[in-house]
Amino acid sequence: MSAVNTLEPRPVTVLGATGSIGQSTLDVLARHPQDYQVFALTGFSRLELLQRQCLQHRPRYAVVPDEAAASALREALRAAGLATEVLSGEQGLCAVASHPDCAIVMAAIVGAAGLTSTLAAVEAGKRVLLANKEALVMSGALFMQAVERSGAELLPIDSEHNAIFQCMPGDYARGLQRVGVRRVLLTASGGPFRDWSLEQIARATPEQACRHPNWSMGRKISVDSASMMNKGLELIEACWLFDAPPARVEVVVHPQSVIHSLVDYIDGSVLAQLGNPDMRTPIAHALAWPRRIDSGVEPLDLFAIARLEFEAPDLQRFPCLALARQAAEAGGTVPALLNAANEVAVEAFLDGRSGFADIPRLIAAVLEQLPRDDAGSLEQVLEADRQARLAAQAWLQQYAH
Ligand code: NAD
Ligand code: MG
């Protein structure tokens, strides 16, 4: 017998609704109209998709990049008889992320562009479902202080961190050592180039990099998975979320992407979370936590999978992982420099302005060139981001091929 929900549906803002995570979130929400209602949807491109999403989910607010796009959407929604209020720009994003009537915010904008609105949701004390790992990588200390101060409920959407969260004891915030955690084992699929030689990787095209064997994702994170920078960013993300020193987070290549990560305890127990590689599982988990709800994901068929494999990452072929570990150890603004340099490098690669092997080269050059600063204020973080982008553009002009 299923319990009857006597509570009002909880209002949810989806930042980055038109993206891969945003669409999976709307899929899960649509399965539970009694429990959740869409409060606000935001999109930066593919605004015709945003319009269709508004018609289906009837949000109170929609947010688009600028006023021109806002008037177009306003007109179209009004013609369809919708009362959705259309806002624009960074201000609009922050307004819907921190609105007093919204309870849950899915932070699924890609890259540094999501930092301000994600932080606004945290500062407003929302339940924040964090997909936008770059925001945490850039501003980890500030971000976690804001969580503490506001009482926000931060729940990881990245499948690995969601898995780690599920395998941690409830009181892990007391400190990993106190609760008997020896190591966090972060699994990585190895991406589309796992078996490729250095020479083959150097010649990789954007289409090859975006063809992930197990996951269907946005283009930026697909390239990050191919370079293994995604795992590097996730290493930094894990350090902040679970207050772990980088040395306690080990990367394990696991090509099947069935084990989403593991926690190793001092008594020799290793807990893992398994499931089909479908982001609707962590999304449903974080939406309903500590309850469980249907996500639409197929049950795991262990007999069909039959075999689970593990190997050590190859830092020679995937130098981005080593660069990210260095940045995690250096701390301060170094992760923000790493992230910004990577964003510029990935965009240049996707636009055909540079090669795949230029990604780690560019990042290493930027990290060598720019000094580490404290990341004690948002201004310092944003300044590091700006400097790294300038240095990265200059590097591309000079060296990219
Ligand atoms: P995506 O490219 O599919 O979607 C990105 C969303 O952000 C879109 O809605 C886009 O309109 C919006 N956006 C882009 N630039 C913007 C800007 N300047 N201002 C405002 N909005 C902007 O990306 P995705 O794959 O859904 O990933 C989103 C985030 O989730 C990333 O940080 C990624 O690392 C993380 N993540 C994704 C997956 C996945 O399976 N896709 C898994 C784990 C973590
Ligand atoms: Mg992940």
Side-chain angles (χ1 to χ4, degrees):
M1 201 178 78
S2 69
V4 178
N5 180 14
T6 51
L7 301 170
E8 288 286 301
R10 301 188 76 191
V12 183
T13 284
V14 185
L15 302 173
T18 54
S20 163
I21 293 286
Q23 293 180 65
S24 294
T25 304
L26 289 176
D27 180 284
V28 177
L29 292 175
R31 292 166 194 275
H32 303 280
Q34 263 91 32
D35 297 319
Y36 306 101
Q37 89 194 37
V38 176
F39 179 76
L41 296 176
T42 88
F44 195 72
S45 53
R46 304 179 69 193
L47 297 182
E48 66 307 326
L49 171 60
L50 184 68
Q51 185 178 325
R52 287 201 302 279
Q53 291 177 328
C54 287
L55 293 176
Q56 186 186 344
H57 299 278
R58 311 180 79 81
R60 193 157 134 200
Y61 293 97
V63 186
V64 291
D66 50 49
E67 255 322 296
S71 359
L73 183 62
R74 223 170 264 141
E75 198 133 311
L77 295 181
R78 202 168 302 146
L82 245 69
T84 301
E85 201 173 314
V86 184
L87 310 177
S88 69
E90 187 88 52
Q91 257 189 330
L93 294 175
C94 291
V96 297
S98 61
H99 196 290
D101 294 345
C102 148
I104 303 177
V105 176
M106 164 57 81
I109 291 175
V110 60
L115 174 62
T116 320
S117 48
T118 303
L119 264 183
V122 168
E123 275 157 5
K126 305 300 181 196
R127 169 172 292 209
V128 179
L129 315 190
L130 183 70
N132 181 205
K133 66 190 90 187
E134 296 92 346
L136 185 60
V137 166
M138 292 173 73
S139 70
L142 285 172
F143 196 107
M144 297 310 289
Q145 282 157 18
V147 170
E148 186 94 348
R149 212 175 35 237
S150 69
E153 279 182 312
L154 183 63
L155 291 158
I157 292 300
D158 222 339
S159 56
E160 296 77 3
H161 306 75
N162 184 271
I164 296 164
F165 179 81
Q166 294 197 44
C167 297
M168 282 284 179
D171 60 346
Y172 72 86
R174 293 198 300 127
L176 294 192
Q177 240 156 340
R178 286 225 182 99
V179 299
V181 170
R182 181 160 42 203
R183 280 179 314 168
V184 166
L185 300 169
L186 193 64
T187 54
S189 68
F193 306 151
R194 184 175 58 89
D195 299 327
W196 291 28
S197 69
L198 250 181
E199 296 68 36
Q200 287 173 309
I201 294 174
R203 287 195 302 273
T205 65
E207 286 59 45
Q208 290 168 324
C210 289
R211 212 175 298 139
H212 197 279
N214 307 338
W215 297 95
S216 145
M217 311 179 285
R219 281 165 75 78
K220 191 265 176 180
I221 183 175
S222 296
V223 175
D224 285 348
S225 300
S227 69
M228 289 198 78
M229 180 54 93
N230 183 49
K231 214 45 58 179
L233 297 176
E234 290 184 359
L235 163 70
I236 301 171
E237 184 185 11
C239 292
W240 287 117
L241 286 174
F242 303 107
D243 196 14
R248 281 191 189 266
V249 184
E250 195 169 313
V251 173
V252 179
V253 176
H254 162 50
Q256 289 81 14
S257 297
V258 165
I259 296 182
H260 299 305
S261 278
L262 316 90
V263 176
D264 177 12
Y265 287 87
I266 49 174
D267 62 1
S269 300
V270 178
L271 303 193
Q273 186 258 0
L274 286 74
N276 285 318
D278 186 322
M279 291 306 293
R280 291 177 301 173
T281 294
I283 291 167
H285 171 266
L287 268 175
W289 181 82
R291 290 191 305 126
R292 297 277 179 175
I293 56 171
D294 172 37
S295 65
V297 176
E298 286 295 306
L300 186 64
D301 182 349
L302 282 174
F303 299 118
I305 295 158
R307 206 159 259 108
L308 297 177
E309 294 162 309
F310 307 96
E311 54 194 64
D314 180 345
L315 300 181
Q316 231 83 55
R317 288 184 302 130
F318 299 101
C320 284
L321 190 50
L323 289 168
R325 194 175 275 284
Q326 279 166 31
E329 273 152 13
T333 50
V334 182
L337 298 174
L338 172 99
N339 177 67
N342 181 56
E343 286 191 27
V344 173
V346 169
E347 203 180 302
F349 169 68
L350 283 172
D351 290 351
R353 285 180 283 125
S354 62
F356 192 75
D358 285 329
I359 297 173
R361 274 196 219 119
L362 179 157
I363 298 166
V366 169
L367 293 187
E368 233 161 78
Q369 189 186 328
L370 295 178
R372 175 196 186 281
D373 198 357
D374 287 334
S377 71
L378 191 57
E379 289 67 40
Q380 283 170 309
V381 170
L382 294 176
E383 181 57 17
D385 177 85
R386 202 178 68 83
Q387 293 292 341
R389 282 169 202 272
L390 288 174
Q393 296 296 358
W395 189 94
L396 282 170
Q397 298 262 318
Q398 204 173 351
Y399 300 107
H401 34 84

